[in-house]
Coordinates of all heavy atoms in Angstrom, one line a residue:
M624 N 23.0 -1.5 -9.4 CA 21.9 -0.6 -9.3 C 20.6 -1.2 -9.5 O 19.6 -0.8 -8.8 CB 22.1 0.6 -10.3 CG 21.2 1.7 -10.1 SD 21.6 2.6 -8.6 CE 21.6 4.2 -9.1
F625 N 20.6 -2.2 -10.4 CA 19.3 -2.9 -10.6 C 18.8 -3.7 -9.4 O 17.6 -3.7 -9.1 CB 19.5 -3.9 -11.8 CG 18.2 -4.6 -12.1 CD1 17.2 -3.9 -12.8 CD2 18.0 -5.9 -11.7 CE1 16.0 -4.6 -13.1 CE2 16.8 -6.6 -12.0 CZ 15.8 -5.9 -12.7
W626 N 19.7 -4.2 -8.6 CA 19.3 -5.0 -7.4 C 18.6 -4.0 -6.4 O 17.7 -4.4 -5.7 CB 20.5 -5.7 -6.7 CG 21.5 -4.7 -6.3 CD1 22.6 -4.3 -6.9 CD2 21.6 -4.1 -5.0 NE1 23.3 -3.4 -6.2 CE2 22.7 -3.3 -5.0 CE3 20.8 -4.2 -3.8 CZ2 23.1 -2.5 -3.9 CZ3 21.1 -3.4 -2.8 CH2 22.3 -2.6 -2.8
L627 N 19.0 -2.8 -6.3 CA 18.4 -1.8 -5.5 C 17.0 -1.5 -5.9 O 16.0 -1.5 -5.1 CB 19.2 -0.5 -5.4 CG 18.6 0.7 -4.6 CD1 18.6 0.3 -3.1 CD2 19.4 1.9 -4.8
F628 N 16.8 -1.3 -7.2 CA 15.5 -1.1 -7.7 C 14.6 -2.3 -7.5 O 13.4 -2.1 -7.0 CB 15.5 -0.8 -9.2 CG 14.2 -1.0 -9.9 CD1 13.1 -0.1 -9.7 CD2 14.0 -2.0 -10.8 CE1 11.9 -0.3 -10.3 CE2 12.8 -2.2 -11.4 CZ 11.7 -1.4 -11.1
R629 N 15.1 -3.5 -7.7 CA 14.3 -4.7 -7.6 C 13.9 -4.9 -6.1 O 12.8 -5.3 -5.8 CB 15.1 -5.9 -8.1 CG 14.2 -7.1 -8.2 CD 13.1 -6.9 -9.3 NE 12.3 -8.0 -9.2 CZ 11.0 -8.0 -9.3 NH1 10.3 -6.8 -9.5 NH2 10.2 -9.1 -9.2
T630 N 14.8 -4.6 -5.2 CA 14.5 -4.7 -3.8 C 13.4 -3.8 -3.3 O 12.5 -4.2 -2.6 CB 15.8 -4.5 -2.9 OG1 16.8 -5.4 -3.4 CG2 15.5 -4.7 -1.5
I631 N 13.5 -2.5 -3.8 CA 12.5 -1.5 -3.4 C 11.2 -1.9 -4.1 O 10.1 -1.8 -3.4 CB 12.9 -0.1 -3.9 CG1 14.1 0.3 -3.0 CG2 11.8 0.9 -3.7 CD1 14.8 1.6 -3.5
D632 N 11.2 -2.4 -5.3 CA 10.0 -2.8 -6.0 C 9.3 -3.9 -5.3 O 8.1 -3.9 -5.1 CB 10.3 -3.1 -7.5 CG 9.0 -3.3 -8.3 OD1 8.2 -2.4 -8.3 OD2 8.9 -4.4 -8.9
I633 N 10.0 -4.9 -4.9 CA 9.4 -6.1 -4.2 C 8.9 -5.6 -2.9 O 7.8 -6.1 -2.5 CB 10.5 -7.2 -4.0 CG1 10.8 -7.8 -5.4 CG2 10.0 -8.3 -3.0 CD1 12.0 -8.8 -5.4
A634 N 9.6 -4.8 -2.2 CA 9.1 -4.3 -0.9 C 7.8 -3.5 -1.1 O 6.8 -3.7 -0.3 CB 10.1 -3.4 -0.2
M635 N 7.7 -2.7 -2.1 CA 6.4 -2.0 -2.4 C 5.3 -2.9 -2.8 O 4.1 -2.7 -2.4 CB 6.7 -0.9 -3.5 CG 7.6 0.2 -3.0 SD 7.9 1.4 -4.3 CE 6.6 2.5 -4.1
E636 N 5.6 -4.0 -3.5 CA 4.6 -5.0 -3.9 C 4.1 -5.7 -2.6 O 2.9 -5.9 -2.5 CB 5.2 -6.0 -4.9 CG 4.2 -7.0 -5.4 CD 4.7 -7.9 -6.4 OE1 5.9 -7.7 -6.8 OE2 4.0 -8.7 -6.9
I637 N 5.0 -6.1 -1.7 CA 4.6 -6.7 -0.5 C 3.7 -5.8 0.4 O 2.7 -6.2 0.9 CB 5.8 -7.2 0.3 CG1 6.5 -8.4 -0.5 CG2 5.4 -7.6 1.7 CD1 7.8 -8.8 0.1
Y638 N 4.1 -4.5 0.4 CA 3.3 -3.5 1.1 C 1.9 -3.4 0.5 O 0.9 -3.2 1.3 CB 4.1 -2.2 1.2 CG 3.6 -1.3 2.2 CD1 3.8 -1.5 3.6 CD2 2.8 -0.1 1.9 CE1 3.4 -0.6 4.5 CE2 2.4 0.8 2.9 CZ 2.7 0.5 4.2 OH 2.2 1.3 5.2
T639 N 1.8 -3.4 -0.8 CA 0.5 -3.4 -1.4 C -0.4 -4.5 -1.0 O -1.5 -4.3 -0.7 CB 0.7 -3.4 -3.0 OG1 1.5 -2.2 -3.4 CG2 -0.6 -3.4 -3.7
Y640 N 0.2 -5.7 -1.0 CA -0.6 -6.9 -0.5 C -0.9 -6.8 0.9 O -2.0 -7.2 1.3 CB 0.2 -8.2 -0.8 CG 0.3 -8.5 -2.3 CD1 1.5 -8.8 -2.8 CD2 -0.8 -8.6 -3.1 CE1 1.6 -9.2 -4.2 CE2 -0.7 -8.9 -4.4 CZ 0.5 -9.2 -5.0 OH 0.6 -9.5 -6.3
A641 N -0.1 -6.2 1.7 CA -0.4 -6.0 3.2 C -1.6 -5.1 3.3 O -2.5 -5.3 4.1 CB 0.8 -5.5 3.9
I642 N -1.6 -4.0 2.5 CA -2.8 -3.1 2.6 C -4.1 -3.8 2.1 O -5.1 -3.7 2.8 CB -2.5 -1.8 1.7 CG1 -1.4 -1.0 2.3 CG2 -3.8 -1.0 1.5 CD1 -0.9 0.1 1.3
I643 N -4.0 -4.6 1.1 CA -5.2 -5.3 0.6 C -5.7 -6.3 1.6 O -6.9 -6.3 1.9 CB -4.9 -6.0 -0.8 CG1 -4.6 -4.9 -1.8 CG2 -6.0 -6.9 -1.1 CD1 -4.1 -5.5 -3.1
I644 N -4.8 -7.0 2.2 CA -5.2 -8.0 3.3 C -5.8 -7.2 4.5 O -6.8 -7.7 5.0 CB -4.0 -8.8 3.7 CG1 -3.6 -9.8 2.6 CG2 -4.3 -9.6 5.0 CD1 -2.2 -10.4 2.8
Y645 N -5.2 -6.1 4.8 CA -5.7 -5.3 6.0 C -7.1 -4.8 5.6 O -8.0 -4.8 6.5 CB -4.8 -4.2 6.3 CG -5.2 -3.3 7.5 CD1 -5.0 -3.9 8.7 CD2 -5.6 -2.1 7.3 CE1 -5.4 -3.1 9.9 CE2 -6.0 -1.3 8.4 CZ -5.8 -1.9 9.7 OH -6.2 -1.1 10.8
I646 N -7.4 -4.4 4.4 CA -8.7 -3.9 4.0 C -9.7 -5.1 4.1 O -10.8 -4.9 4.6 CB -8.7 -3.3 2.6 CG1 -7.8 -2.0 2.6 CG2 -10.1 -3.1 2.1 CD1 -7.5 -1.5 1.2
L647 N -9.3 -6.2 3.5 CA -10.2 -7.4 3.5 C -10.5 -7.9 4.9 O -11.6 -8.4 5.1 CB -9.6 -8.5 2.7 CG -9.5 -8.2 1.2 CD1 -8.8 -9.4 0.4 CD2 -10.9 -8.0 0.6
M648 N -9.6 -7.7 5.8 CA -9.8 -8.1 7.2 C -11.0 -7.4 7.8 O -11.7 -7.9 8.7 CB -8.6 -8.0 8.1 CG -7.5 -9.0 7.7 SD -6.1 -8.8 8.7 CE -6.4 -9.8 10.1
S649 N -11.3 -6.2 7.4 CA -12.4 -5.4 8.0 C -13.7 -5.9 7.5 O -14.7 -5.6 8.1 CB -12.2 -3.9 7.6 OG -12.5 -3.8 6.2
W650 N -13.8 -6.8 6.5 CA -15.0 -7.3 6.0 C -15.5 -8.5 6.8 O -16.6 -8.9 6.7 CB -14.9 -7.7 4.5 CG -14.7 -6.5 3.6 CD1 -14.6 -5.2 3.9 CD2 -14.5 -6.6 2.2 NE1 -14.3 -4.5 2.8 CE2 -14.3 -5.3 1.7 CE3 -14.5 -7.6 1.3 CZ2 -14.1 -5.0 0.4 CZ3 -14.3 -7.3 -0.1 CH2 -14.1 -6.0 -0.5
F651 N -14.6 -9.2 7.5 CA -14.9 -10.4 8.2 C -15.4 -10.1 9.6 O -14.8 -9.3 10.3 CB -13.7 -11.3 8.3 CG -13.2 -11.8 7.0 CD1 -12.0 -11.4 6.4 CD2 -14.0 -12.8 6.3 CE1 -11.6 -11.9 5.2 CE2 -13.6 -13.3 5.1 CZ -12.4 -12.8 4.5
P652 N -16.5 -10.7 10.0 CA -17.1 -10.5 11.3 C -16.2 -11.2 12.3 O -15.4 -12.1 12.0 CB -18.4 -11.1 11.3 CG -18.4 -12.2 10.2 CD -17.4 -11.6 9.2
G653 N -16.3 -10.8 13.6 CA -15.5 -11.4 14.6 C -14.2 -10.7 14.9 O -13.4 -11.3 15.7
G654 N -14.0 -9.6 14.4 CA -12.8 -8.8 14.7 C -11.5 -9.4 14.2 O -10.6 -9.7 15.0
A655 N -11.4 -9.7 12.9 CA -10.2 -10.2 12.3 C -9.0 -9.2 12.5 O -7.9 -9.6 12.7 CB -10.4 -10.4 10.8
R656 N -9.4 -7.9 12.6 CA -8.3 -6.9 12.8 C -7.8 -6.9 14.3 O -6.8 -6.4 14.6 CB -8.8 -5.5 12.5 CG -8.9 -5.2 11.1 CD -9.2 -3.8 10.8 NE -9.2 -3.4 9.4 CZ -9.5 -2.3 8.9 NH1 -9.8 -1.3 9.7 NH2 -9.5 -2.0 7.6
D657 N -8.6 -7.5 15.2 CA -8.2 -7.6 16.6 C -7.3 -8.8 16.8 O -6.7 -8.9 17.9 CB -9.4 -7.7 17.5 CG -10.2 -6.5 17.5 OD1 -9.6 -5.4 17.2 OD2 -11.4 -6.5 17.7
S658 N -7.1 -9.7 15.8 CA -6.2 -10.8 16.0 C -4.7 -10.3 16.0 O -4.5 -9.1 15.7 CB -6.4 -11.8 14.9 OG -6.0 -11.2 13.6
S659 N -3.8 -11.2 16.3 CA -2.4 -10.8 16.3 C -1.9 -10.4 15.0 O -1.1 -9.4 14.8 CB -1.5 -11.9 16.9 OG -1.7 -13.1 16.1
I660 N -2.4 -11.1 13.9 CA -2.0 -10.7 12.6 C -2.6 -9.3 12.2 O -1.9 -8.5 11.6 CB -2.4 -11.8 11.6 CG1 -1.7 -13.1 11.8 CG2 -2.2 -11.3 10.1 CD1 -2.2 -14.2 11.0
G661 N -3.8 -9.1 12.6 CA -4.4 -7.8 12.3 C -3.8 -6.7 13.0 O -3.6 -5.6 12.5
Q662 N -3.3 -6.9 14.2 CA -2.6 -5.8 15.0 C -1.2 -5.5 14.4 O -0.8 -4.4 14.3 CB -2.5 -6.2 16.4 CG -3.8 -6.3 17.2 CD -3.6 -6.8 18.6 OE1 -2.6 -7.2 19.0 NE2 -4.7 -6.8 19.3
V663 N -0.5 -6.6 13.9 CA 0.7 -6.3 13.2 C 0.5 -5.6 11.9 O 1.3 -4.6 11.6 CB 1.5 -7.7 13.0 CG1 2.7 -7.5 12.1 CG2 1.9 -8.3 14.3
L664 N -0.5 -6.0 11.1 CA -0.8 -5.2 9.9 C -1.2 -3.8 10.2 O -0.8 -2.9 9.4 CB -1.9 -6.0 9.1 CG -1.4 -7.2 8.3 CD1 -2.6 -7.9 7.7 CD2 -0.4 -6.8 7.3
A665 N -1.9 -3.6 11.2 CA -2.3 -2.2 11.6 C -1.1 -1.4 11.9 O -1.1 -0.2 11.5 CB -3.3 -2.3 12.8
K666 N -0.2 -1.9 12.6 CA 1.0 -1.1 12.9 C 1.8 -0.8 11.7 O 2.5 0.3 11.6 CB 1.9 -1.9 13.9 CG 1.3 -1.9 15.3 CD 2.2 -2.7 16.2 CE 1.6 -2.8 17.6 NZ 2.4 -3.6 18.5
I667 N 1.8 -1.6 10.7 CA 2.5 -1.4 9.4 C 1.7 -0.5 8.4 O 2.3 0.4 7.8 CB 2.8 -2.8 8.7 CG1 3.7 -3.6 9.6 CG2 3.4 -2.6 7.4 CD1 3.9 -5.1 9.2
V668 N 0.4 -0.7 8.3 CA -0.4 -0.1 7.3 C -1.0 1.2 7.7 O -1.0 2.2 6.9 CB -1.5 -1.1 6.8 CG1 -2.4 -0.4 5.9 CG2 -0.8 -2.3 6.2
E669 N -1.4 1.3 9.0 CA -2.1 2.5 9.4 C -1.3 3.8 9.3 O -1.9 4.9 8.9 CB -2.6 2.4 10.9 CG -3.9 1.6 11.0 CD -5.1 2.2 10.3 OE1 -5.1 3.5 10.2 OE2 -5.9 1.5 9.9
P670 N 0.0 3.9 9.5 CA 0.7 5.1 9.3 C 0.7 5.7 7.9 O 0.7 6.9 7.7 CB 2.2 4.8 9.7 CG 2.0 3.7 10.7 CD 0.8 2.9 10.2
Y671 N 0.6 4.7 6.9 CA 0.4 5.1 5.5 C -1.0 5.6 5.2 O -1.2 6.5 4.4 CB 0.9 4.0 4.6 CG 0.7 4.3 3.1 CD1 1.5 5.3 2.5 CD2 -0.2 3.7 2.3 CE1 1.4 5.6 1.2 CE2 -0.3 3.9 1.0 CZ 0.5 4.9 0.4 OH 0.4 5.2 -0.9
L672 N -2.0 4.9 5.7 CA -3.4 5.2 5.4 C -3.9 6.4 6.1 O -4.8 7.1 5.6 CB -4.3 4.0 5.8 CG -4.1 2.7 5.0 CD1 -5.0 1.6 5.5 CD2 -4.3 3.0 3.5
E673 N -3.3 6.8 7.3 CA -3.9 7.9 8.1 C -3.9 9.2 7.3 O -4.9 9.9 7.4 CB -3.0 8.0 9.4 CG -3.6 9.0 10.4 CD -5.0 8.5 10.9 OE1 -5.3 7.3 11.0 OE2 -5.8 9.4 11.1
P674 N -2.9 9.6 6.6 CA -3.0 10.9 5.9 C -4.1 10.9 4.9 O -4.8 11.9 4.7 CB -1.6 11.1 5.2 CG -0.7 10.2 6.0 CD -1.5 9.1 6.5
F675 N -4.3 9.8 4.2 CA -5.4 9.7 3.2 C -6.8 9.8 3.9 O -7.7 10.4 3.4 CB -5.3 8.4 2.4 CG -4.1 8.4 1.6 CD1 -3.0 7.7 2.0 CD2 -4.0 9.0 0.3 CE1 -1.8 7.6 1.2 CE2 -2.9 9.0 -0.5 CZ -1.8 8.3 0.0
R676 N -6.9 9.2 5.1 CA -8.2 9.3 5.8 C -8.5 10.7 6.3 O -9.6 11.1 6.5 CB -8.1 8.3 7.0 CG -8.2 6.9 6.5 CD -8.5 5.9 7.7 NE -8.7 4.6 7.2 CZ -8.0 3.5 7.6 NH1 -7.2 3.6 8.6 NH2 -8.3 2.4 7.1
K677 N -7.4 11.5 6.6 CA -7.6 12.8 7.0 C -8.1 13.7 5.8 O -8.9 14.6 6.0 CB -6.3 13.4 7.5 CG -5.9 12.9 8.9 CD -4.7 13.5 9.4 CE -4.3 12.9 10.7 NZ -3.0 13.4 11.2
I678 N -7.7 13.4 4.6 CA -8.1 14.2 3.4 C -9.4 13.7 2.9 O -10.2 14.6 2.5 CB -7.0 14.0 2.4 CG1 -5.7 14.6 2.9 CG2 -7.4 14.7 1.1 CD1 -4.5 14.3 2.0
I679 N -9.7 12.4 2.8 CA -10.8 11.9 2.2 C -11.8 11.4 3.2 O -11.6 10.4 3.8 CB -10.4 10.7 1.2 CG1 -9.4 11.2 0.2 CG2 -11.7 10.2 0.5 CD1 -8.7 10.1 -0.5
P680 N -12.9 12.0 3.4 CA -13.9 11.6 4.4 C -14.7 10.3 3.8 O -14.8 10.1 2.6 CB -14.9 12.7 4.5 CG -14.8 13.4 3.2 CD -13.4 13.3 2.7
P681 N -15.2 9.5 4.7 CA -16.0 8.3 4.3 C -17.2 8.8 3.5 O -17.9 9.8 3.9 CB -16.3 7.6 5.6 CG -15.4 8.1 6.6 CD -15.0 9.5 6.2
I682 N -17.6 8.0 2.6 CA -18.8 8.3 1.8 C -20.0 7.8 2.6 O -20.0 6.6 3.0 CB -18.7 7.6 0.4 CG1 -17.6 8.1 -0.4 CG2 -20.1 7.7 -0.4 CD1 -17.4 7.4 -1.7
G683 N -21.0 8.6 2.8 CA -22.1 8.2 3.5 C -21.9 7.9 5.0 O -22.7 7.3 5.6
G684 N -20.7 8.3 5.4 CA -20.3 8.0 6.8 C -19.9 6.6 7.1 O -19.4 6.3 8.2
M685 N -19.9 5.7 6.1 CA -19.6 4.3 6.4 C -18.5 3.8 5.4 O -17.7 3.0 5.8 CB -20.8 3.5 6.3 CG -21.8 3.7 7.4 SD -23.1 2.6 7.4 CE -22.3 1.0 7.6
I686 N -18.5 4.2 4.1 CA -17.7 3.6 3.1 C -16.4 4.4 3.0 O -16.4 5.6 2.6 CB -18.4 3.5 1.8 CG1 -19.6 2.7 1.9 CG2 -17.5 2.9 0.7 CD1 -20.5 2.6 0.7
D687 N -15.3 3.8 3.4 CA -14.0 4.5 3.4 C -13.3 4.1 2.1 O -12.8 3.0 1.9 CB -13.2 4.0 4.6 CG -11.9 4.7 4.8 OD1 -11.7 5.8 4.1 OD2 -11.0 4.3 5.6
I688 N -13.1 5.1 1.2 CA -12.4 4.9 0.0 C -11.0 5.3 0.0 O -10.2 5.1 -1.0 CB -13.1 5.5 -1.2 CG1 -13.1 7.1 -1.1 CG2 -14.5 5.0 -1.4 CD1 -13.5 7.8 -2.3
S689 N -10.5 5.8 1.1 CA -9.1 6.3 1.3 C -8.1 5.1 1.0 O -7.1 5.4 0.4 CB -8.9 6.9 2.6 OG -9.1 6.1 3.7
P690 N -8.4 3.9 1.4 CA -7.4 2.8 1.1 C -7.2 2.6 -0.4 O -6.1 2.3 -0.9 CB -7.9 1.6 1.7 CG -8.7 2.1 2.9 CD -9.4 3.4 2.3
I691 N -8.3 2.8 -1.2 CA -8.2 2.7 -2.6 C -7.3 3.8 -3.2 O -6.5 3.5 -4.1 CB -9.6 2.7 -3.3 CG1 -10.5 1.5 -2.7 CG2 -9.6 2.7 -4.8 CD1 -11.9 1.6 -3.1
V692 N -7.5 5.0 -2.7 CA -6.7 6.1 -3.2 C -5.2 5.9 -2.8 O -4.3 6.1 -3.6 CB -7.2 7.4 -2.6 CG1 -6.3 8.6 -3.0 CG2 -8.6 7.7 -3.1
A693 N -5.0 5.3 -1.6 CA -3.7 5.1 -1.1 C -3.0 4.0 -2.0 O -1.8 4.1 -2.3 CB -3.7 4.6 0.3
L694 N -3.8 3.0 -2.4 CA -3.2 2.0 -3.3 C -2.9 2.5 -4.7 O -1.8 2.2 -5.3 CB -4.2 0.8 -3.5 CG -4.3 -0.1 -2.3 CD1 -5.5 -1.1 -2.5 CD2 -3.0 -0.9 -2.1
F695 N -3.7 3.5 -5.2 CA -3.4 4.1 -6.5 C -2.1 4.9 -6.3 O -1.3 4.9 -7.2 CB -4.6 5.0 -6.9 CG -5.6 4.3 -7.7 CD1 -6.9 4.3 -7.2 CD2 -5.4 3.6 -8.8 CE1 -7.9 3.7 -7.9 CE2 -6.3 3.0 -9.5 CZ -7.6 3.0 -9.1
V696 N -2.0 5.7 -5.2 CA -0.8 6.5 -5.0 C 0.5 5.6 -5.0 O 1.5 5.9 -5.6 CB -0.9 7.4 -3.8 CG1 0.4 8.0 -3.4 CG2 -2.0 8.4 -4.0
L697 N 0.3 4.5 -4.2 CA 1.5 3.5 -4.1 C 1.8 2.9 -5.5 O 3.0 2.8 -5.9 CB 1.1 2.4 -3.1 CG 2.3 1.5 -2.8 CD1 3.4 2.2 -2.1 CD2 1.7 0.4 -1.8
H698 N 0.8 2.6 -6.3 CA 1.0 2.1 -7.6 C 1.7 3.1 -8.5 O 2.7 2.8 -9.2 CB -0.3 1.7 -8.3 CG -0.2 1.3 -9.7 ND1 0.3 0.1 -10.1 CD2 -0.6 1.9 -10.8 CE1 0.3 0.0 -11.4 NE2 -0.2 1.1 -11.9
F699 N 1.3 4.3 -8.5 CA 1.9 5.4 -9.3 C 3.3 5.6 -8.8 O 4.2 6.0 -9.6 CB 1.1 6.7 -9.3 CG -0.2 6.5 -10.1 CD1 -1.4 7.0 -9.5 CD2 -0.2 5.9 -11.3 CE1 -2.6 6.9 -10.2 CE2 -1.4 5.8 -12.0 CZ -2.6 6.3 -11.5
A700 N 3.6 5.5 -7.5 CA 4.9 5.7 -7.0 C 5.8 4.6 -7.5 O 7.0 4.8 -7.9 CB 4.9 5.7 -5.5
R701 N 5.3 3.4 -7.6 CA 6.1 2.2 -8.1 C 6.4 2.5 -9.6 O 7.5 2.2 -10.0 CB 5.3 0.9 -8.0 CG 5.4 0.2 -6.7 CD 4.7 -1.1 -6.6 NE 5.4 -2.1 -7.4 CZ 4.9 -3.3 -7.7 NH1 3.7 -3.6 -7.3 NH2 5.6 -4.1 -8.3
Q702 N 5.4 2.9 -10.3 CA 5.6 3.2 -11.8 C 6.6 4.3 -12.0 O 7.5 4.2 -12.8 CB 4.3 3.5 -12.4 CG 3.3 2.4 -12.5 CD 3.9 1.1 -13.2 OE1 4.4 1.2 -14.2 NE2 3.6 0.0 -12.6
G703 N 6.5 5.3 -11.2 CA 7.5 6.4 -11.3 C 8.9 6.0 -10.9 O 9.9 6.4 -11.6
L704 N 9.0 5.2 -9.9 CA 10.3 4.7 -9.5 C 10.9 3.8 -10.6 O 12.1 3.9 -10.9 CB 10.2 3.9 -8.2 CG 11.4 3.5 -7.5 CD1 12.2 4.7 -7.0 CD2 11.1 2.6 -6.3
A705 N 10.1 3.0 -11.2 CA 10.5 2.1 -12.3 C 11.0 3.0 -13.4 O 12.1 2.7 -14.0 CB 9.4 1.2 -12.7
Y706 N 10.3 4.0 -13.8 CA 10.7 4.9 -14.9 C 12.0 5.6 -14.5 O 12.9 5.7 -15.4 CB 9.6 5.9 -15.1 CG 10.0 6.9 -16.2 CD1 9.9 6.5 -17.6 CD2 10.4 8.2 -15.9 CE1 10.3 7.4 -18.6 CE2 10.8 9.1 -16.9 CZ 10.7 8.7 -18.2 OH 11.1 9.6 -19.2
L707 N 12.1 6.0 -13.3 CA 13.3 6.7 -12.9 C 14.6 5.8 -12.9 O 15.6 6.2 -13.5 CB 13.2 7.3 -11.5 CG 14.3 8.0 -10.8 CD1 14.6 9.3 -11.5 CD2 14.1 8.2 -9.3
F708 N 14.4 4.6 -12.4 CA 15.6 3.7 -12.4 C 15.9 3.2 -13.8 O 17.1 3.1 -14.2 CB 15.3 2.5 -11.5 CG 15.7 2.7 -10.1 CD1 14.9 3.1 -9.1 CD2 17.0 2.4 -9.8 CE1 15.3 3.3 -7.8 CE2 17.5 2.6 -8.5 CZ 16.6 3.0 -7.5
M709 N 14.9 3.0 -14.7 CA 15.1 2.6 -16.0 C 15.8 3.7 -16.8 O 16.6 3.4 -17.7 CB 13.9 2.1 -16.7 CG 13.3 0.8 -16.1 SD 14.6 -0.5 -16.1 CE 14.2 -1.3 -14.6
S710 N 15.4 4.9 -16.6 CA 16.1 6.0 -17.3 C 17.5 6.2 -16.9 O 18.4 6.6 -17.6 CB 15.3 7.3 -17.1 OG 15.3 7.7 -15.8
I711 N 17.8 5.9 -15.6 CA 19.2 5.9 -15.1 C 20.0 4.8 -15.7 O 21.2 5.0 -16.1 CB 19.2 5.9 -13.6 CG1 18.7 7.2 -13.0 CG2 20.6 5.7 -13.1 CD1 18.5 7.3 -11.5
L712 N 19.4 3.6 -15.7 CA 20.2 2.4 -16.1 C 20.4 2.3 -17.6 O 21.4 1.8 -18.1 CB 19.4 1.1 -15.6 CG 19.4 0.9 -14.1 CD1 18.5 -0.3 -13.8 CD2 20.8 0.7 -13.6
Y713 N 19.5 2.9 -18.4 CA 19.6 2.8 -19.9 C 19.8 4.1 -20.5 O 19.6 5.0 -20.7 CB 18.4 2.1 -20.5 CG 18.3 0.7 -19.9 CD1 17.2 0.3 -19.0 CD2 19.2 -0.3 -20.3 CE1 17.1 -1.0 -18.6 CE2 19.0 -1.6 -19.8 CZ 18.0 -1.9 -19.0 OH 17.9 -3.2 -18.5

């Protein structure tokens, strides 16, 4: 049972890093998101970020804080999953 938890936890950690990289790509000029890596990350990350963008409008029309909220939600989900698995295992 522990291997299942560890696999899910590692996948969620990798997904967290993918979101962070995708966010940072928007800061670079020259269309880093238009590169092949940016397009792959967009296909992976955008379905998760889209619901948050619908709920949280950009601040001042330019600053999008929805990815930060999405990262918090993912972090809390990881912590809840860890608690759930640890309570089952012990």
Side-chain angles (χ1 to χ4, degrees):
M624 189 67 133
F625 181 75
W626 63 269
L627 177 63
F628 162 69
R629 192 64 188 138
T630 303
I631 294 171
D632 188 54
I633 290 171
M635 291 175 88
E636 184 175 1
I637 291 170
Y638 197 71
T639 299
Y640 289 129
I642 293 172
I643 292 170
I644 291 168
Y645 185 70
I646 293 167
L647 292 177
M648 288 179 90
S649 69
W650 294 1
F651 294 109
R656 284 188 177 177
D657 295 332
S658 68
S659 60
I660 294 172
Q662 291 175 357
V663 169
L664 281 176
K666 289 180 184 177
I667 295 170
V668 171
E669 280 297 330
Y671 178 68
L672 294 178
E673 189 63 32
F675 294 99
R676 288 193 175 129
K677 288 180 181 176
I678 296 170
I679 305 166
I682 296 175
M685 292 185 60
I686 301 173
D687 186 14
I688 62 166
S689 60
I691 296 169
V692 175
L694 285 172
F695 276 121
V696 169
L697 188 60
H698 173 74
F699 290 134
R701 276 183 76 190
Q702 294 300 317
L704 191 65
Y706 179 77
L707 178 68
F708 270 94
M709 292 307 143
S710 66
I711 291 172
L712 293 175
Y713 298 108

